[in-house]
Amino acid sequence: KKAHIADKMYLKPGMKVLDMTYGHGVFWKHIGKGPYDVVRNDLDPKLGDVHEDFRYTSYDVCTFDIVVLDPPYASRSSNKRSLIGARYNNANHHLDTVTDMLNYYRSGMSEAQRILKPDGLLMVKCMDEVAGGRQYRHHINLRGYATENLGMEDMDLFILVQSGKPTMRHEYQIHARKNN
């Protein structure tokens, strides 16, 4: 079994964990069920155990030790438009612009802060993108929102590199390719 950094460093036996955007469980692929109390939330009734909008959950304040937020990575204005709409079932969320996408993340992060225990950990999975010929470093923007608006502490950053060639809309390149 391939080791996962979250399992080795942050997840401890008995922790109560909410995966706000479980989907097909990709985040948990190399972790497995483990000795944690994991609540798998997804809007799709065929996925997960609970089916609430991650931005407005019914959980009490200070319920979870860890919250995982892994929503769709890019706005539909990017070159990943068709993949995102089909794979993540987000057509009803009106994620047409980069601002829409960032607000989607921010709402989820704010809700996560509400339901996290005082020393809880929020794990956010995102990806930088190029949209409309402009580069967006979402990991920097979301880190700033967490530290400046939510009063959270930045504890770590992991950059995962994809094995294939990044998707590009044009033959030429005006920004560094995004392959993380």
Side-chain angles (χ1 to χ4, degrees):
K1 178 179 161 187
K2 198 175 191 183
H4 190 283
I5 197 72
D7 190 29
K8 296 287 184 190
M9 293 179 69
Y10 296 111
L11 295 169
K12 306 294 181 225
M15 284 187 152
K16 187 162 182 155
V17 181
L18 171 65
D19 187 331
M20 299 178 101
T21 50
Y22 184 76
H24 296 280
V26 174
F27 180 84
W28 302 95
K29 183 177 177 184
H30 298 294
I31 297 175
K33 297 201 185 228
Y36 330 110
D37 179 8
V38 179
V39 177
R40 298 173 297 204
N41 180 66
D42 196 276
L43 277 179
D44 189 331
K46 294 177 277 193
L47 304 172
D49 306 313
V50 180
H51 310 290
E52 295 184 337
D53 185 325
F54 70 87
R55 299 168 296 173
Y56 316 100
T57 70
S58 60
Y59 297 107
D60 291 333
V61 172
C62 303
T63 300
F64 295 95
D65 297 296
I66 295 180
V67 172
V68 176
L69 177 61
D70 181 12
Y73 290 133
S75 65
R76 290 190 313 203
S77 66
S78 77
N79 59 1
K80 299 172 183 73
R81 177 183 316 221
S82 61
L83 169 70
I84 289 164
R87 185 166 182 193
Y88 294 102
N89 193 24
N90 68 359
N92 295 329
H93 295 288
H94 309 290
L95 305 175
D96 297 321
T97 68
V98 171
T99 301
D100 295 338
M101 179 57 61
L102 287 172
N103 287 336
Y104 196 57
Y105 267 93
R106 290 175 187 143
S107 295
M109 291 168 71
S110 295
E111 179 62 4
Q113 181 195 38
R114 185 186 74 77
I115 60 178
L116 273 169
K117 292 179 180 176
D119 288 329
L121 177 68
L122 171 60
M123 295 180 170
V124 178
K125 191 174 170 191
C126 68
M127 185 171 86
D128 297 344
E129 69 177 307
V130 173
R134 189 166 168 216
Q135 188 168 194
Y136 295 92
R137 294 179 183 99
H138 295 318
H139 77 281
I140 293 172
N141 186 295
L142 296 173
R143 179 208 177 272
Y145 182 76
T147 57
E148 295 165 24
N149 297 80
L150 301 178
M152 294 180 162
E153 177 185 352
D154 177 6
M155 294 185 56
D156 235 324
L157 170 68
F158 299 95
I159 297 176
L160 306 176
V161 179
Q162 72 185 34
S163 57
K165 182 179 176 183
T167 306
M168 289 180 45
R169 189 172 77 182
H170 303 291
E171 296 278 326
Y172 59 90
Q173 189 174 332
I174 60 171
H175 297 289
R177 289 186 177 164
K178 303 298 174 219
N179 71 340
N180 60 355

